[in-house]
Amino acid sequence: MVDESVIAALAGVSVTTSLPFLLYGAWIMIDAETVSWNVLMRHLRYIVAGLVLTTVPIVGWMIPRVLEQLTGMAILHAFFGVQAYALLAFALTGIVRIFQAKRNADAYEDLDVDIDEIHEDMGHWRKRLRAGVFGFMLLWLCAWVTGLYRLYTLHLASMI
């Protein structure tokens, strides 16, 4: 059987590897003057890859072990992670509405459409999206740092 430290290190590498995917996916949207269907699909490929690299270790490794390790740092790490995913869910409430409105207005094909003119609540949905994504990334980074600290103290410090 594989040592627990090896699995913990692989989980840490997977989550760490997701950061460039998440940041580049966000950069695609920030850099785009208008969001066409191709830009959206390119963005989603990176974001989904980043979320898979983060979520699989969480579900497969971290969540099953959290009750066995109820220390202050484990609780802090879990708190940051749960709050990050809560803000991602909040962002999705804006993303879904924006997607529906743009799709109904054919704004992914007709790039001259003013996005704020499509629906009266578009500004509100965009604020939800921004707040959720910013909050997710900020709390994801907090969870990542606390997770790396836990990885070091629980699995790597004894090897050094």
Side-chain angles (χ1 to χ4, degrees):
M1 185 101 180
V2 179
D3 185 40
E4 186 173 290
S5 295
V6 173
I7 297 171
L10 290 173
V13 166
S14 178
V15 172
T16 301
T17 303
S18 71
L19 181 59
F21 286 95
L22 295 172
L23 293 177
Y24 187 67
W27 177 252
I28 290 170
M29 294 305 265
I30 291 168
D31 192 44
E33 193 168 314
T34 56
V35 179
S36 66
W37 187 255
N38 289 337
V39 169
L40 178 64
M41 289 298 108
R42 185 168 171 235
H43 160 75
L44 287 177
R45 278 192 292 275
Y46 285 95
I47 294 301
V48 167
L51 288 174
V52 166
L53 285 168
T54 296
T55 306
V56 169
I58 289 171
V59 172
W61 171 251
M62 296 173 204
I63 290 175
R65 284 158 184 76
V66 75
L67 292 177
E68 298 168 3
Q69 304 172 0
L70 286 181
T71 64
M73 193 56 71
I75 292 170
L76 186 63
H77 178 67
F79 174 79
F80 285 139
V82 168
Q83 295 306 309
Y85 276 89
L87 280 169
L88 181 61
F90 180 72
L92 287 172
T93 64
I95 292 169
V96 169
R97 296 295 187 181
I98 293 167
F99 175 78
Q100 288 172 337
K102 284 186 76 171
R103 197 75 168 140
N104 291 341
D106 202 30
Y108 287 114
E109 304 303 325
D110 182 8
L111 301 180
D112 293 329
V113 174
D114 184 10
I115 189 170
D116 291 319
E117 300 293 322
I118 294 174
H119 196 279
E120 62 190 29
D121 292 330
M122 186 62 74
H124 176 71
W125 297 333
R126 292 174 78 194
K127 286 178 188 173
R128 271 187 188 189
L129 171 62
R130 289 184 188 117
V133 168
F134 178 77
F136 170 77
M137 283 309 303
L138 181 65
L139 290 167
W140 185 96
L141 287 169
C142 291
W144 178 62
V145 168
T146 57
L148 289 179
Y149 176 78
R150 291 189 69 231
L151 174 67
Y152 176 75
T153 58
L154 294 174
H155 301 284
L156 302 179
S158 62
M159 294 180 193
I160 297 174

